[in-house]
């Protein structure tokens, strides 16, 4: 697929107008009908294991395992958080992804005095990229640190 220039929105309009949304269930399409390779999807299934599905252009393209079984989605929700951060920027609720989160959670300004109040520096970008270093000694942006406290900070600050 060729890259679109920013000002060339005609193809994007066509995509939006042709968007497919699920009803009670997801309509199915064979992988080749949505420019996907069934052999590569088989390889994905082998690597991932368990159960899962691939959705493309609003259609179920590939599924494996028991789709009716419920499960905790936990980490699978993290891309949605990124979406909602960007939506908040788009709507003007957040100035930018580099805005300090302390504007919305002022208690960050008073934490960790022995570490130079490092949590004042946490930005939305840090939270989205798992580098906020909330609850550890490293400064925001200096280390990858996947932890539940950081995700709770992101969730509570963004949604509550």
């Amino acid at each position: 697929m060729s890259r679109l220039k920013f000002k060339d929105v005609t193809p994007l309009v066509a995509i939006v107008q042709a968007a497919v949304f699920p009803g009670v269930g997801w309509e199915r399409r064979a992988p080749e009908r949505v420019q996907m390779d069934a052999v590569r999807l088989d390889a994905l299934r082998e690597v991932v294991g368990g159960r899962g599905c691939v959705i493309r252009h609003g259609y179920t393209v590939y599924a494996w395992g028991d789709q009716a079984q419920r499960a905790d989605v936990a980490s699978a929700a993290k891309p949605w958080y990124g979406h909602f951060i960007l939506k908040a920027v788009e709507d003007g609720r957040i100035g930018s992804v580099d805005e300090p989160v302390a504007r919305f959670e002022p208690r960050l300004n008073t934490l960790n005095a022995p570490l130079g109040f490092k949590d004042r520096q946490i930005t939305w970008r840090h939270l989205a990229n798992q580098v906020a270093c909330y609850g550890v000694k490293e400064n925001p942006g200096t280390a990858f640190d996947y932890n539940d406290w950081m995700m709770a900070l992101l969730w509570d600050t963004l949604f509550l």
Side-chain angles (χ1 to χ4, degrees):
M1 184 163 125
S2 64
R3 290 190 164 251
L4 298 173
K5 293 183 177 144
F6 182 71
K7 61 185 175 183
D8 183 8
V9 298
T10 306
L12 296 175
V13 170
I15 290 169
V16 170
Q17 289 173 338
V20 175
F21 297 95
V24 173
W26 291 79
E27 190 175 335
R28 295 188 169 271
R29 286 282 189 268
E32 56 276 2
R33 284 191 64 193
V34 292
Q35 295 77 45
M36 296 190 82
D37 181 344
V39 172
R40 292 181 80 183
L41 291 169
D42 286 338
L44 170 71
R45 180 195 66 222
E46 293 303 314
V47 169
V48 174
R51 67 183 177 284
C53 67
V54 175
I55 306 295
R56 178 140 194 211
H57 303 308
Y59 300 103
T60 298
V61 176
Y62 191 82
W64 66 98
D66 182 359
Q67 297 297 299
Q69 184 179 355
R70 289 179 171 241
D72 180 8
V73 296
S75 293
K78 289 179 180 66
W80 286 100
Y81 301 160
H83 163 80
F84 285 113
I85 290 170
L86 293 175
K87 184 67 176 153
V89 170
E90 179 181 73
D91 291 349
R93 295 172 190 261
I94 295 173
S96 81
V97 294
D98 295 313
E99 181 171 25
V101 176
R103 175 177 165 225
F104 303 90
E105 178 45 87
R107 291 175 291 184
L108 290 173
N109 288 314
T110 60
L111 294 178
N112 293 314
L115 297 174
F117 299 100
K118 70 175 190 73
D119 295 316
R120 293 175 180 173
Q121 302 168 37
I122 295 173
T123 66
W124 296 101
R125 182 185 307 270
H126 292 139
L127 289 172
N129 288 293
Q130 307 291 315
V131 296
C133 300
Y134 180 65
V136 298
K137 68 179 182 175
E138 288 79 13
N139 286 324
T142 63
F144 178 81
D145 180 51
Y146 180 91
N147 71 61
D148 291 339
W149 301 283
M150 184 173 55
M151 294 315 303
L153 173 63
L154 178 127
W155 172 267
D156 290 348
T157 308
L158 186 61
F159 295 108
L160 303 180

